[in-house]
């Protein structure tokens, strides 16, 4: 098939950002085109297993904190608990395109947009790989 930007491509998952895949924690996969987010397990060899629908919302980036909360960049930053229930929305002046945790204690959520970088302190730190 052809993508919206005209490059022929097979039917595969495309990733434009990076997030840690941590053993023992589900891994979030966002689909901007389907507007859904999926959760998958991680096998010992690093492959994804047991992929299932997590939320009926998807966007450009997905990350999670050590408490199991999932952060989805989809116009704003939507925060879901581990059960897949929306619990918060982080409003950003520009459309977020990537999310990553960092800072000295890993409790700063960095929100990248096309023109700016924003940050928000979180109650729980991000997963570490």
């Amino acid at each position: 098939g052809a993508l919206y930007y005209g490059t022929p491509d097979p039917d595969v998952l495309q990733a434009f950002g990076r997030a840690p895949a941590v053993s023992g924690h589900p891994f979030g996969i966002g689909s901007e085109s389907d507007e859904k987010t999926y959760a998958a397990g991680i096998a010992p060899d690093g492959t994804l297993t047991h992929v299932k629908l997590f939320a009926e919302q998807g966007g450009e980036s997905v990350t999670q904190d050590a408490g199991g909360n999932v952060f989805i960049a989809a116009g704003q930053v939507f925060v879901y608990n581990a059960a897949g229930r929306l619990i918060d929305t982080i409003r950003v002046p520009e459309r977020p395109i990537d999310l990553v945790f960092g800072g000295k204690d890993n409790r700063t959520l960095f929100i990248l947009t096309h023109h700016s970088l924003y940050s928000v302190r979180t109650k729980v730190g991000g997963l570490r790989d």
Side-chain angles (χ1 to χ4, degrees):
L3 298 176
Y4 66 90
Y5 45 84
T7 304
D9 196 31
D11 188 22
V12 297
L13 177 67
Q14 292 192 9
F16 297 101
R18 294 175 49 126
V22 179
S23 181
H25 293 273
F27 182 72
I29 305 162
S31 173
E32 181 182 2
S33 60
D34 291 344
E35 296 181 355
K36 295 181 185 333
T37 298
Y38 300 88
I42 304 165
D45 67 356
T47 58
L48 300 178
T49 62
H50 310 301
V51 178
K52 64 179 182 176
L53 182 64
F54 175 76
E56 290 281 349
Q57 183 167 45
E60 294 80 0
S61 182
V62 179
T63 194
Q64 68 177 334
D65 66 20
N69 295 314
V70 176
F71 298 74
I72 301 172
Q76 298 296 331
V77 179
F78 298 96
V79 185
Y80 287 80
N81 66 14
R85 186 173 63 85
L86 182 64
I87 58 172
D88 200 1
T89 301
I90 301 170
R91 304 240 176 249
V92 185
E94 301 173 65
R95 185 175 183 86
I97 59 172
D98 204 3
L99 304 172
V100 64
F101 277 96
K104 290 182 182 179
D105 58 3
N106 209 35
R107 287 185 41 218
T108 301
L109 177 66
F110 291 100
I111 304 166
L112 177 67
T113 72
H114 283 289
H115 303 286
S116 304
L117 177 65
Y118 298 91
S119 65
V120 175
R121 293 285 294 161
T122 59
K123 293 178 185 176
V124 179
L127 286 179
R128 293 203 187 258
D129 51 351

